């Protein structure tokens, strides 16, 4: 595709794209605020507002405890069935409960228990630190023979397939990787890596936090054993919305969650004194669920109805390639570097632009008073400005305006007015 630096080009791309209308399914409170952080917290889908009003006024306000039998109790499975088609899984292989960190703990420990005699967990240096902490905690819990080995990166952007192959061996029980890296957006070949893990006799666990909702996923076709992922990023489930987990059908009854919660029991309301786990995916539930967050998530998934994930991915790639085109024309001469893979097949749906003044530039993007356009990306140390592309609602014109602002901020030295002091959440 031939891009152009003219603003009319962006407007024409939006006007000609049938998927651009999906943006109307979201609340856009200020069209002059450009939100490029949907990979951290997705925008508010319109159907959520009515659903939450009903959840509070009618379901909680009027139905009270009866709500549990009127549907709340089945939310973890019901939502799992809604997420299954987005990840290429069968409806009974997916469950929504707790958060990603906790689901990772449950599945990783369950996996290690069925690979006795093997003591290595393989992950990589790009993994989300929170995932690595969970894995480190598991190693600490299991004792000295266990260890976590991290696949290195040669260039800070990609992981080389040879380095993956070198790390997985006969002692490997579990390969636990994030499919799309949170910083560089590097994306693994899921099929190839899963096959490598299986050839060595290890189980494969993918974290899909930065893929689901933006990248088509085929867990069954890739023969993936286990997966976890959050719902508040490209799935737009709302702040702190509960996460999902996936266990391949034949493994469900073989694996046992280390958290023997009462909702994982075969008959929770028998209040039996001894734990007998249920046989289906609900055996990975723990305790009482956050019903309001789950109802918000359920309504948020409506925005995916009728959406072809391959078409959505094509839009994400086109928006990303356009962003890179503008970065090449305008930003690289100003000291920026591209911190994401150039090959779209190896890249998720965000682009990291690196600059030594990245933090202050990010502040200028977010804080500059009107009439300047406000742009909201996020910043990941030491120098990554992450620009998230949510193909359901990000437009070409927004990319154009955001990159124009980046150019202006650096060209004029506008960022020098901002201090380098950090806030708690960047
Ligand atoms: C966002 C993210 C998480 C978040 O985990 P929580 O338990 O929801 O805090 C975990 N892993 C990855 C790869 C993420 O991108």
């Amino acid at each position: 595709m031939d891009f152009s630096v003219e603003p009319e080009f962006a407007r024409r791309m939006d006007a000609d794209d049938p998927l651009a209308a999906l943006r109307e399914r979201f609340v856009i409170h200020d069209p002059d605020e450009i939100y490029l952080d949907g990979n951290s917290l997705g925008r508010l889908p319109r159907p959520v507002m009515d659903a939450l009003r009903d959840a509070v006024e009618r379901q909680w306000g009027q139905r009270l405890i009866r709500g549990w039998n009127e549907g709340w109790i089945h939310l973890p499975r019901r939502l799992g069935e809604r997420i299954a088609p987005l990840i290429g899984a069968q409806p009974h292989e997916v469950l929504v409960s707790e958060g990603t960190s906790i689901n990772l703990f449950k599945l990783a420990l369950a996996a290690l228990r069925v690979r006795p005699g093997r003591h290595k967990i393989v992950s990589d240096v790009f993994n989300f630190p929170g995932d690595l902490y969970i894995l480190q905690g598991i190693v600490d819990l299991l004792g000295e023979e266990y260890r976590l080995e991290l696949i290195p990166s040669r260039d800070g952007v990609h992981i080389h397939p040879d380095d993956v192959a070198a790390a997985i061996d006969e002692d490997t029980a579990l390969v636990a990787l994030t499919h799309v890296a949170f910083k560089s957006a590097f994306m693994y070949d899921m099929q190839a890596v899963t096959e490598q893990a299986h050839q060595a006799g290890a189980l494969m666990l993918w974290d899909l936090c930065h893929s689901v909702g933006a990248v088509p996923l085929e867990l069954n076709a890739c023969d993936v054993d286990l997966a976890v992922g959050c719902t508040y990023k490209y799935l737009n489930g709302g702040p702190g919305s509960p996460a999902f987990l996936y266990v391949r059908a034949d493994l469900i009854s073989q694996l046992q969650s280390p958290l023997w919660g009462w909702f994982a029991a075969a008959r929770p309301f028998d209040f039996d004194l001894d734990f007998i786990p249920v046989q289906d995916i609900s055996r990975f539930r723990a305790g009482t669920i956050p019903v309001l967050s789950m109802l918000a998530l359920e309504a948020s998934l409506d925005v995916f109805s009728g959406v072809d994930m391959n078409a959505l991915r094509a839009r994400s790639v086109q928006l990303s390639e356009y962003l890179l085109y503008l970065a090449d024309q305008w930003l690289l001469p100003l000291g920026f570097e591209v911190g994401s893979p150039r090959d779209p097949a190896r890249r998720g749906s965000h682009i990291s632009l690196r600059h030594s003044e990245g933090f202050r530039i990010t502040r200028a993007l977010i804080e500059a008073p009107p009439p300047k356009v406000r742009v909201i990306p996020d910043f990941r140390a030491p120098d990554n400005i992450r620009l998230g592309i949510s193909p359901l609602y990000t437009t070409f014109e927004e990319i154009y305006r955001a990159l124009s602002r980046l150019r202006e901020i650096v060209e004029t030295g506008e960022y020098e007015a901002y201090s380098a002091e950090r806030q708690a959440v960047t």
Side-chain angles (χ1 to χ4, degrees):
M1 155 132 263
D2 287 330
F3 297 115
S4 151
V5 293
E6 298 304 320
E8 292 73 33
F9 173 80
R11 272 181 230 128
R12 205 169 55 242
M13 288 296 287
D14 289 327
D16 291 349
D17 187 348
L19 292 184
L22 294 169
R23 180 175 164 91
E24 288 158 24
R25 300 183 180 184
F26 292 86
V27 173
I28 312 285
H29 85 285
D30 176 1
D32 283 325
E33 178 178 282
I34 295 165
Y35 189 64
L36 297 178
D37 208 6
N39 53 328
S40 279
L41 177 68
R43 277 187 181 277
L44 170 60
R46 289 187 181 279
V48 171
M49 291 187 292
D50 283 340
L52 272 184
R53 198 169 299 117
D54 179 71
V56 171
E57 287 181 6
R58 186 183 63 83
Q59 299 187 45
W60 180 10
Q62 299 168 20
R63 299 310 297 159
L64 289 163
I65 194 73
R66 290 162 290 197
W68 285 107
N69 280 328
E70 290 168 4
W72 296 346
I73 195 75
H74 299 304
L75 278 167
R77 292 289 303 272
R78 202 161 93 202
L79 291 180
E81 287 166 10
R82 294 285 303 276
I83 288 172
L86 297 174
I87 60 176
Q90 301 174 75
H92 63 286
E93 294 174 316
V94 188
L95 182 80
V96 172
S97 70
E98 284 88 35
T100 301
S101 305
I102 293 172
N103 288 337
L104 175 64
F105 179 80
K106 290 189 263 190
L107 295 192
L109 204 49
L112 296 176
R113 294 279 300 276
V114 295
R115 285 293 180 276
R118 290 173 176 247
H119 297 106
K120 190 161 95 174
I121 305 173
V122 170
S123 190
D124 72 21
V125 293
F126 284 171
N127 207 346
F128 188 64
D131 287 26
L132 297 179
Y133 304 159
I134 293 289
L135 298 173
Q136 288 163 13
I138 287 175
V139 166
D140 180 64
L141 193 68
L142 293 181
E144 280 177 3
E145 309 142 293
Y146 281 84
R147 70 208 150 86
L148 172 65
E149 183 176 317
L150 301 185
I151 306 165
S153 167
R154 300 178 186 190
D155 60 2
V157 175
H158 305 79
I159 301 281
H160 197 286
D162 291 350
D163 295 333
V164 178
I168 303 173
D169 60 18
E170 298 297 300
D171 192 37
T172 305
L174 176 68
V175 180
L177 295 168
T178 293
H179 181 226
V180 171
F182 80 102
K183 219 179 266 186
S184 79
F186 169 76
M187 181 163 76
Y188 276 106
D189 179 338
M190 179 176 281
Q191 181 136 33
V193 176
T194 302
E195 206 173 294
Q196 280 174 305
H198 288 168
Q199 268 166 11
L203 288 169
M204 182 74 226
L205 190 163
W206 288 105
D207 182 328
L208 307 175
C209 282
H210 279 282
S211 333
V212 65
V215 178
L217 296 162
E218 294 294 344
L219 297 189
N220 284 165
C222 295
D223 202 25
V224 171
D225 303 296
L226 305 164
V228 296
C230 62
T231 62
Y232 47 79
K233 293 173 181 166
Y234 295 107
L235 291 185
N236 319 297
S241 59
F244 65 89
L245 61 82
Y246 154 92
V247 181
R248 202 183 58 223
D250 59 296
L251 289 173
I252 293 172
S253 62
Q254 292 177 40
L255 298 189
Q256 182 147 33
S257 169
L259 298 174
W260 292 14
W262 66 303
F263 279 104
R267 286 175 302 279
F269 287 90
D270 282 2
F271 298 108
D272 214 321
L273 294 191
D274 290 310
F275 178 67
I276 302 167
V278 68
Q279 290 303 310
D280 63 38
I281 190 83
S282 293
R283 65 204 265 111
F284 297 97
R285 284 183 70 169
T288 304
I289 53 169
V291 172
L292 297 181
S293 291
M294 289 214 156
L295 292 171
L297 170 60
E298 182 169 48
S300 75
L301 293 171
D302 288 351
V303 298
F304 283 93
S305 76
V307 174
D308 172 359
M309 283 307 294
N310 290 312
L312 198 63
R313 167 68 177 164
R315 177 173 163 81
S316 152
V317 169
Q318 231 182 22
L319 285 160
S320 307
E321 294 285 291
Y322 175 57
L323 190 157
L324 286 169
Y325 166 82
L326 293 181
D328 284 339
Q329 305 293 314
W330 293 345
L331 303 183
L332 269 49
L334 296 173
F336 284 88
E337 276 175 52
V338 174
S340 295
R342 286 283 181 168
D343 175 5
R346 295 274 66 82
R347 190 177 66 222
S349 200
H350 69 269
I351 305 277
S352 277
L353 294 179
R354 310 179 61 177
H355 191 284
S356 54
E357 286 291 350
F359 183 72
R360 294 206 288 172
I361 295 168
T362 303
R363 284 197 62 179
L365 283 170
I366 299 172
E367 295 173 34
K372 299 259 188 257
V373 188
R374 189 182 312 124
V375 182
I376 305 188
D378 65 17
F379 177 78
R380 289 292 174 265
D383 58 1
N384 292 272
I385 304 171
R386 269 196 330 181
L387 305 170
I389 291 164
S390 290
L392 287 172
Y393 52 76
T394 303
T395 66
F396 285 87
E397 195 175 357
E398 286 183 308
I399 303 280
Y400 175 86
R401 294 173 82 190
L403 269 76
S404 305
R405 267 299 282 154
L406 273 168
R407 177 172 67 164
E408 178 184 53
I409 286 166
V410 177
E411 246 172 18
T412 62
E414 192 184 319
Y415 65 87
E416 287 164 14
Y418 295 87
S419 94
E421 199 180 319
R422 306 287 167 90
Q423 288 178 307
V425 175
T426 56

